[in-house]
Amino acid sequence: MSAVAHDHRRAGEPAGSFASAAHGGILMAMAAPLTSPTFVGRAAESARLAQARDRAAAGTPTVVVVGGEAGVGKSRLVGELVAGSRAAGAVVLAGGCVELGGEGLPFAPVVEALRTMARGIDGPELATAVPEPTKAELARLLPELGQPPAGGPEQPWLDLGSGQGRLFELLLGLLERLAAERPTILVVEDLHWADRSTRDLLAFLVRNLR
C-alpha cells in the first residue's frame, strides 16, 4: 500500500473550525490530506526501480514506465527513488507535463528539467554538460542558460522539422555527457498529458541512448 493517506471524513464531521459558534459563526469542516513521512509498502516496485537505476549506472540505458490509477502512490514511489539517487550522487533531471485542453504544453517537462539541472549542478559540471554553442541554442527554451543566438527565430523548437531534430540531438548529447560523469536520471511526470513534441522526443531518446 501507499504511504500517502487521505482523511475521508464526511462534511458533517468537523476536522477544524475557523469561526466560533458562540459568535454566530459557521463551523467549517475541513478534510485535510494526511501524508506519512515514512514510506510503507511497494517493496517490489521500489526494488525494480533500484535495479533499473543500477543497470543504468553500470552503462546500460534503461527506461521504466510507472502506471496506475490516480492516488495509488506513483509520485511518492518515484520520489523515493529520486531522493535516494540524489543522496548517492546521481544527477536527477525532473519535469512534469502540463494539461492544456487537448494537447499539453510543448516541451514543458524538458524546460523544467533543464531548469532543475541549471540550478542543481555546479558551474564546471554545467559547463561540461552544456558547452557552447549548445548552451546558446538551448537558451531558446530556457533563457537562464544564456543568450540565444542573435537573428534566429524566437521559438524554433516548437515547429516540426529540422528545428526539432536539432533540439533532439542537443538533448541526447546533454544526457550522454552528464551520464559519462555520474549516474543520470530523467523523470517525466504525468506522461499522459504530454504533447506530441514531448512524446516524439522521449521516443527518440529511448531509441538512441547508448
Side-chain angles (χ1 to χ4, degrees):
M1 62 172 286
S2 170
V4 180
H6 292 280
D7 186 350
H8 295 295
R9 280 175 282 195
R10 292 171 296 180
E13 299 175 70
S17 172
F18 287 100
S20 169
H23 292 85
I26 300 175
L27 289 175
M28 302 293 293
M30 302 296 293
L34 305 176
T35 302
S36 169
T38 304
F39 188 59
V40 180
R42 299 296 184 195
E45 292 87 349
S46 294
R48 292 180 67 181
L49 288 178
Q51 289 167 3
R53 177 192 58 200
D54 293 343
R55 286 197 302 272
T60 302
T62 305
V63 179
V64 178
V65 178
V66 179
E69 296 297 326
V72 299
K74 299 184 298 295
S75 294
R76 180 66 184 272
L77 176 66
V78 174
E80 292 293 318
L81 173 75
V82 166
S85 300
R86 281 179 171 150
V91 175
V92 179
L93 310 181
C97 301
V98 179
E99 183 184 25
L100 286 179
E103 266 296 283
L105 184 65
F107 295 121
V110 178
V111 173
E112 189 176 353
L114 290 175
R115 184 172 290 115
T116 301
M117 177 199 66
R119 295 174 179 174
I121 63 178
D122 58 28
E125 187 175 10
L126 181 62
T128 299
V130 195
E132 297 292 353
T134 299
K135 181 183 293 186
E137 292 190 79
L138 289 180
R140 290 169 171 163
L141 274 181
L142 185 66
E144 289 98 315
L145 289 177
Q147 184 65 34
E154 292 184 0
Q155 294 180 310
W157 313 129
L158 301 186
D159 298 322
L160 296 174
S162 60
Q164 279 201 352
R166 174 60 179 163
L167 172 63
F168 291 2
E169 292 288 349
L170 289 172
L171 292 171
L172 174 63
L174 166 62
L175 290 175
E176 289 179 336
R177 285 189 294 273
L178 285 171
E181 299 298 323
R182 50 183 171 140
T184 300
I185 299 174
L186 173 64
V187 177
V188 178
E189 290 271 8
D190 296 320
L191 187 59
H192 54 287
W193 286 336
D195 68 292
R196 177 184 173 184
S197 299
T198 299
R199 296 194 301 270
D200 288 346
L201 169 62
L202 294 176
F204 174 84
L205 294 177
V206 169
R207 287 195 301 268
N208 290 281
L209 279 172
R210 297 289 183 268

